[in-house]
Amino acid sequence: MIAADYLSQLQALLPVGLAWPREPESTLTQLLAGWAQEFARLDARAMRLIEEADPRTTEELLPDWERVLGLPDPCMPDGAGLQQRRAAVTARLTGIGGQSRAYFIGLAADLGVEITITELQPFRCGAGECGDTIYDPDVVFTWQVNPAGRRGARGAVPHRRIDGR
């Protein structure tokens, strides 16, 4: 509501009579107009608070949202803009997570990084082939994240090749 609406409401609450003038230049109307402006300001502020409660539209409370969610984290670029910061808060709140390769590849893509994932498997007789890398048996259920432009698992985990290289 605007101040004029509040002024009308306040004047409608007044008793009828000569002691209660409604003319714009009267002292009583000017007093009520001052109150009406403040009520309109408070009303607008309350409406803004509703927008602040949503991380997609927040501005003032964004630092509080980030503090609660542990942001910014090392994955966020320096000097991130308002929209990027809001997107990070929203993603942190709504992200379900996962343990699939596709989830982590998508997560990296959201951060602007292209990756591949190598699943490390220990050598098993009957399943492995000559020339396969022999990884430490402790690498079961281990992945290696490879940024774009880099190849394979070479040097990441203690290993040796069957052919002795």
Side-chain angles (χ1 to χ4, degrees):
M1 291 176 65
I2 60 173
D5 295 332
Y6 277 108
L7 178 58
S8 283
Q9 289 180 352
L10 289 170
Q11 285 179 327
L13 294 172
L14 293 175
V16 179
L18 292 176
W20 306 101
R22 304 269 193 305
E23 292 79 27
E25 65 279 349
S26 73
T27 304
L28 180 60
T29 299
Q30 290 177 7
L31 174 67
L32 294 178
W35 288 350
Q37 287 177 1
E38 184 63 11
F39 290 151
R41 186 190 71 77
L42 290 173
D43 188 40
R45 187 71 178 140
M47 289 296 137
R48 181 69 189 126
L49 183 59
I50 292 171
E51 292 178 19
E52 286 293 322
D54 185 347
R56 296 170 296 177
T57 58
T58 188
E59 287 183 26
E60 287 181 57
L61 295 179
L62 185 58
D64 292 323
W65 281 105
E66 290 174 327
R67 178 184 49 79
V68 168
L69 296 170
L71 293 171
D73 61 16
C75 295
M76 278 188 75
D78 290 335
L82 179 64
Q83 292 296 49
Q84 287 176 311
R85 292 171 59 201
R86 283 179 180 164
V89 167
T90 303
R92 185 70 57 99
L93 285 171
T94 60
I96 295 172
Q99 295 182 351
S100 69
R101 292 173 58 187
Y103 171 75
F104 283 98
I105 291 170
L107 185 63
D110 289 345
L111 296 171
V113 179
E114 185 181 335
I115 65 168
T116 59
I117 294 179
T118 304
E119 292 188 60
L120 306 178
Q121 297 290 328
F123 185 84
R124 291 197 170 101
C125 292
E129 298 177 8
C130 187
D132 283 353
T133 302
I134 298 179
Y135 293 103
D136 188 302
D138 294 334
V139 301
V140 177
F141 308 117
T142 302
W143 291 353
Q144 177 181 333
V145 176
N146 308 301
R150 297 197 182 162
R151 294 185 333 159
R154 195 174 264 307
V157 176
H159 67 277
R160 60 188 171 90
R161 297 180 61 87
I162 293 176
D163 58 9
R165 288 188 275 164

